[in-house]
Structures are given as C-alpha cells and as structure tokens.
Amino acid sequence: MSAGEDLVIAASAMVLHRGGLRLCGDLLAALECSLRFCPRSARLGRAIEAAELVLAARDACDDVAFDAARDALSREVSALLAGKAHDQLRRARGV
C-alpha cells in the first residue's frame, strides 16, 4: 500500500467516525502519522491541506474549526474515492 493510500484510509476512518474532537484521538494520531509519510502530489494536495487543517484544529482544541475542517476533509476524500470508482468502472468496461 502506498503512503497516499494510507492517508486516504486514515482520513476516511476519521471522517466516518461521528464523534467530536475529543472522541477521535486514535484516528487523529493515525491521520497525523499517515500525513507525515505522504508525499506531496497534485492528486492529494487538497486532501493533504484539509488533513493539516484538521490537525491544526485539534492542536488548538477548537471544536468549531475541527468540525469545519473534518467536513472539508470528508469532501476531499469523497472526491478521491469517486475518482477511483470511476477509474475502476472504466477499466471494467474496457474504456
């Protein structure tokens, strides 16, 4: 598994968890770890930025900023996964 895939998996787990800032400790640690080893790329750029905002909100203990950043990360992860789903569909159809 690549470092980028690790980031997407950690981010997916974190955004799917419906607990607030104080209930996501282990998931935030996994996100931070995956982010540390994830190379910067155009494909992951916006997801990386959103993940960094999530971690900054955590560090500031700012629940409102955390919720907004997690929503932004959720949208970026969704876009990445949708792209992968479309790629798989095209491959399955032989396009």
Side-chain angles (χ1 to χ4, degrees), residues 8-79:
V8 171
I9 290 169
S12 297
M14 204 279 303
V15 301
L16 289 170
H17 188 273
R18 294 317 318 164
L21 172 60
R22 284 150 187 74
L23 299 176
C24 293
D26 290 346
L27 296 171
L28 289 167
L31 180 66
E32 184 173 31
C33 183
S34 67
L35 191 59
R36 187 176 305 128
F37 296 103
C38 187
R40 300 286 170 164
S41 72
R43 183 178 71 85
L44 295 173
R46 291 174 65 174
I48 290 170
E49 290 171 9
E52 289 170 338
L53 289 174
V54 167
L55 296 173
R58 175 207 57 190
D59 293 344
C61 297
D62 186 335
D63 290 316
V64 174
F66 175 79
D67 288 342
R70 180 171 57 183
D71 287 346
L73 182 57
S74 178
R75 288 188 297 275
E76 295 308 322
V77 166
S78 177

Side-chain angles (χ1 to χ4, degrees), residues 86-95:
H86 289 297
D87 290 346
Q88 287 178 342
L89 182 59
R90 281 192 291 276
R91 279 195 302 275
R93 290 181 176 169
V95 177

